[in-house]
Amino acid sequence: MADAPVRPFLIAKDQDGNFRLTLRTTRYNSQGYPLVDSVLQEPLFKTAAAAKAFARDNFDVRPGDYATK
């Protein structure tokens, strides 16, 4: 059974109610097991739309590249 690919951008709400953007990269080990590296971005956003706009402007993101918690 194949695993679903991890979307490269995660938008999640933190405990203070702000939205955070996490960049995720997937690489595979010699046995084909996916290893996901995550880097949380510094800016805080009031809305998920603001986080998406930041990602679109700074990382050239396409609409299907987002995941949410």
Side-chain angles (χ1 to χ4, degrees):
M1 184 168 134
D3 292 328
V6 175
R7 294 187 182 188
F9 297 92
L10 173 67
I11 298 173
K13 197 176 223 184
D14 67 8
Q15 60 196 8
D16 296 328
N18 297 310
F19 287 89
R20 302 294 304 264
L21 178 68
T22 303
L23 281 87
R24 303 186 294 189
T25 56
T26 304
R27 55 191 173 87
Y28 297 90
N29 68 6
S30 61
Q31 286 83 29
Y33 185 78
L35 304 171
V36 179
D37 296 324
S38 299
V39 178
L40 183 65
Q41 298 298 298
E42 288 298 321
L44 300 174
F45 304 99
K46 294 293 182 189
T47 64
K52 286 181 180 182
F54 176 81
R56 186 175 50 248
D57 294 342
N58 293 293
F59 301 108
D60 196 29
V61 179
R62 295 185 310 257
D65 289 343
Y66 301 107
T68 57
K69 274 191 172 177

